[in-house]
């Protein structure tokens, strides 16, 4: 195989059956393999391939945006960036991402571990089911990738080479730059929202000049601050879980960006799940308990991030930034801790802003989330979406004044009261 050709369930066994990495993991004769296309994301083909020994996932990029169709062409190189992100994430936080079994750049395909019996976190949350260790695991992953892929830890030549490599993922960055930071704030062609119920709130947000300025400040951080390797699309559809296991998938949007980007997107998704819960958990007491749990996960995600980041700051600060020669080696341990606190405070501020724009784009832009879109009755959906829109606005505008996680959770709780659009 050299010239790119999309796989089909019928062609896959013949085309991949000769690869030992695949054949050994699947087992049996390729003609006997079961192949199912299960891609429900916005961009790619995803196949589950099963045989006598087990199963694997085959993910292949399509030359267009699947969500929109071939009217939106998209390069195939994202598979290369996803592969490169996966192998780095495996190094900095082993066991969290699926193992890569085979990568074919020309076919834009990755064969990887099939995570069984994991399901997408978004579906788990819509069912009102908990995941033990979710906040701890996600905070740790975000801290490890943020720290270990940055100038706090890496040799600067290697870090700069990675900045150069991932700067090639320009097409996918362009999607985020457009769909997250710009389109929600004007009447862009691909936008959609719950109408007519949200029309006046949407008009109010788009008329908010301060909000548009802040959204562009955040976009400038996204484009200019090549601090660390970000997953790039860390929402609840990029996380697979069981009741007590957390795995992270789909880093095709990987890029070098601000340390608060991934954790901010993630927190935005937890807060939207919090607002959507009344539509998915019928029993009043169970609903309140589940919303408490979501806020607890939000808290733990941040506290676990901060704790891990502090540990890495003490133990693994081997890069060019805040060198020990300036602090610990001079007996200035307190200054080193102060510097770490200041970096964490800056990350927290960014987190709030990125959470806010994520909440806006999932309600106003092209790519929505199932928590809201699956609510068929728009009179039920709209007030819940309005809560996320308002909280998102407050996070973007007030982020420099929201200095700790308790204040964020307090704002989330007060955004939950009242049913007005
Ligand atoms: C056109 S792609 C739309 C969205 O899907 C991906 O999962 C990213 O979130 C992107 O913004
Ligand atoms: Mg994805």
């Amino acid at each position: 195989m050299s010239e790119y050709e999309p796989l089909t369930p019928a062609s896959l066994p013949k085309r991949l059956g000769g690869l030992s990495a695949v054949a050994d993991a699947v087992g049996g004769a390729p003609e006997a393999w079961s192949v199912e296309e299960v891609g429900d994301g916005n961009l790619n083909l995803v196949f589950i391939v099963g045989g006598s020994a087990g199963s694997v996932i085959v993910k292949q990029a399509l030359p267009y945006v699947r969500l929109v169709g071939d009217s939106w062409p998209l390069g195939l190189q994202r598979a290369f960036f996803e592969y490169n992100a996966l192998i780095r994430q495996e190094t900095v936080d082993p066991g969290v991402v699926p193992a890569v079994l085979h990568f074919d750049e020309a076919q834009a395909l990755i064969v990887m571990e099939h995570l069984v019996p994991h399901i997408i976190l978004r579906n788990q949350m819509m069912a009102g089911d908990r995941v033990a260790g979710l906040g701890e695991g996600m905070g740790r992953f975000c801290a490890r990738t943020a720290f270990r892929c940055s100038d706090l830890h890496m040799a600067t030549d290697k870090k700069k080479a990675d900045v150069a490599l991932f700067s090639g993922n320009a097409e996918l960055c362009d999607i985020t730059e457009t769909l997250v930071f710009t389109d929600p704030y004007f009447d862009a062609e691909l936008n959609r929202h719950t109408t007519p119920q949200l029309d006046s709130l949407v008009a109010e947000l788009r008329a908010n000049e301060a909000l548009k300025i802040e959204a562009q400040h955040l976009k400038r951080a996204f484009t200019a601050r090549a601090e660390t390797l970000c997953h790039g699309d860390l929402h609840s559809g990029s996380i697979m879980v069981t009741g007590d296991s957390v795995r992270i998938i789909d880093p095709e949007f990987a890029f070098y960006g601000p340390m608060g980007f991934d954790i901010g997107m993630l927190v935005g998704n937890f807060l939207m799940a919090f607002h959507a819960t009344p539509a998915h958990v019928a029993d009043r007491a169970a609903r309140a308990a589940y919303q408490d749990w979501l806020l607890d996960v939000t808290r733990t995600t941040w506290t676990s991030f901060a704790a891990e980041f502090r540990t890495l700051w003490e133990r693994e600060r081997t890069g060019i930034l805040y060198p020990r020669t300036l602090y610990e080696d001079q007996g200035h341990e307190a200054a080193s801790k102060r510097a770490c606190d200041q970096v964490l405070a800056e990350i927290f501020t960014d987190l709030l802003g990125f959470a806010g724009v994520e909440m806006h784009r999932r309600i106003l832009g092209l790519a929505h989330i199932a928590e809201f879109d699956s609510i068929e009755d728009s009179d039920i959906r709209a007030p819940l979406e309005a809560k996320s829109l308002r909280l998102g606005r407050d996070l973007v505008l007030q982020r420099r004044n929201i200095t700790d996680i308790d204040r964020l959770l307090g704002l989330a709780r007060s955004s939950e009261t009242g049913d007005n659009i």
Side-chain angles (χ1 to χ4, degrees):
M1 279 194 294
S2 57
E3 189 148 329
Y4 171 82
E5 197 185 328
L7 292 159
T8 65
S11 69
L12 190 147
K14 195 157 183 246
R15 288 180 57 190
L16 302 189
L19 294 170
S20 60
V22 181
D24 293 351
V26 176
E31 311 82 67
W33 289 354
S34 62
V35 184
E36 197 188 349
E37 206 279 310
V38 294
D40 62 353
N42 295 332
L43 300 179
N44 307 296
L45 293 170
V46 180
F47 302 89
I48 297 176
V49 185
S52 57
S55 53
V56 298
I57 292 289
V58 176
K59 178 173 177 179
Q60 186 179 35
L62 285 165
Y64 54 85
V65 173
R66 186 175 184 166
L67 173 70
V68 175
D70 53 16
S71 62
W72 186 343
L74 191 63
L76 298 167
Q77 304 87 335
R78 61 189 184 276
F80 169 82
F81 295 108
E82 174 160 354
Y83 165 72
N84 274 281
L86 283 170
I87 57 179
R88 285 160 179 76
Q89 290 165 340
E90 172 60 25
T91 306
V92 297
D93 196 6
V96 173
V97 298
V100 174
L101 305 175
H102 175 74
F103 169 57
D104 183 331
E105 188 172 352
Q107 295 302 320
L109 75 79
I110 304 173
V111 182
M112 63 187 106
E113 178 186 1
H114 180 202
L115 302 173
V116 193
H118 294 67
I119 65 164
I120 292 288
L121 171 62
R122 201 181 291 293
N123 298 335
Q124 179 94 344
M125 295 195 304
M126 284 167 61
D129 291 331
R130 292 165 172 73
V131 182
L134 176 60
E136 290 85 349
M138 290 310 304
R140 201 165 47 233
F141 171 81
C142 289
R144 287 181 178 173
T145 50
F147 192 96
R148 289 179 169 152
C149 296
S150 78
D151 276 318
L152 288 168
H153 177 76
M154 282 179 88
T156 189
D157 57 339
K158 292 202 168 55
K159 190 258 185 179
K160 286 179 170 70
D162 269 6
V163 171
L165 185 140
F166 283 97
S167 71
N169 205 8
E171 252 189 312
L172 285 253
C173 283
D174 174 55
I175 290 177
T176 306
E177 286 148 11
T178 305
L179 296 190
V180 176
F181 295 102
T182 300
D183 280 6
Y185 301 102
F186 80 110
D187 187 18
E189 197 187 336
L190 294 173
N191 285 348
R192 65 187 169 89
H193 66 259
T194 301
T195 187
Q197 294 92 330
L198 290 180
D199 287 353
S200 63
L201 177 55
V202 173
E204 191 184 308
L205 292 172
R206 290 188 179 145
N208 188 328
E209 295 178 11
L211 181 62
K212 290 196 288 187
I213 292 173
E214 290 302 334
Q216 290 303 299
H217 286 332
L218 289 160
K219 184 176 181 178
R220 183 160 56 90
F222 178 92
T223 60
R225 292 216 330 248
E227 288 184 323
T228 197
L229 180 59
C230 298
H231 175 286
D233 197 25
L234 196 56
H235 54 83
S236 339
S238 298
I239 300 168
M240 297 196 71
V241 297
T242 65
D244 61 3
S245 165
V246 180
R247 307 288 295 271
I248 294 158
I249 61 171
D250 267 6
E252 66 200 314
F253 282 76
F255 74 111
Y256 256 79
M259 291 186 178
F261 183 74
D262 283 344
I263 191 170
M265 287 284 213
L266 183 62
V267 164
N269 278 264
F270 289 153
L271 294 174
M272 287 186 283
F274 170 76
H275 286 139
T277 295
H280 300 292
V281 181
D283 177 77
R284 201 172 260 275
R287 174 196 309 168
Y290 197 70
Q291 287 187 305
D292 287 348
W293 179 76
L294 284 169
L295 292 191
D296 196 51
V297 168
T298 305
R299 175 197 298 286
T300 316
T301 299
W302 172 250
T303 54
S304 156
F305 179 97
E308 181 71 7
F309 196 91
R310 284 200 170 91
T311 301
L312 296 171
W313 183 281
E314 275 169 30
R315 298 191 187 154
E316 296 189 15
R317 216 167 72 249
T318 50
I320 57 169
L321 290 181
Y322 309 90
R324 301 182 76 83
T325 42
L326 284 186
Y327 302 102
E328 285 81 353
D329 295 356
Q330 311 296 328
H332 293 167
E333 284 81 3
S336 170
K337 284 197 170 42
R338 216 156 61 236
C340 181
D341 286 346
Q342 288 171 11
V343 171
L344 279 168
E346 189 184 293
I347 294 172
F348 188 70
T349 305
D350 290 344
L351 172 162
L352 298 171
F354 293 128
V357 292
E358 169 72 354
M359 293 165 83
H360 286 163
R361 72 92 168 219
R362 294 295 188 184
I363 297 165
L364 305 178
L366 166 73
H368 287 217
I369 54 169
E371 282 96 327
F372 288 135
D373 266 15
S374 64
I375 307 171
E376 278 178 24
D377 184 338
S378 58
D379 285 328
I380 295 176
R381 183 170 71 241
L384 304 178
E385 292 179 316
K387 290 174 184 178
S388 278
L389 288 177
R390 289 210 168 89
L391 180 58
R393 174 199 59 199
D394 295 345
L395 298 186
V396 171
L397 290 177
Q398 300 301 325
R399 66 188 188 282
R400 295 178 194 86
N401 306 320
I402 305 168
T403 48
D404 62 60
I405 189 70
D406 287 321
R407 180 89 182 100
L408 170 62
L409 301 185
L411 285 173
R413 282 206 184 281
S414 29
S415 72
E416 178 52 9
T417 53
D419 278 330
N420 294 336
I421 296 180

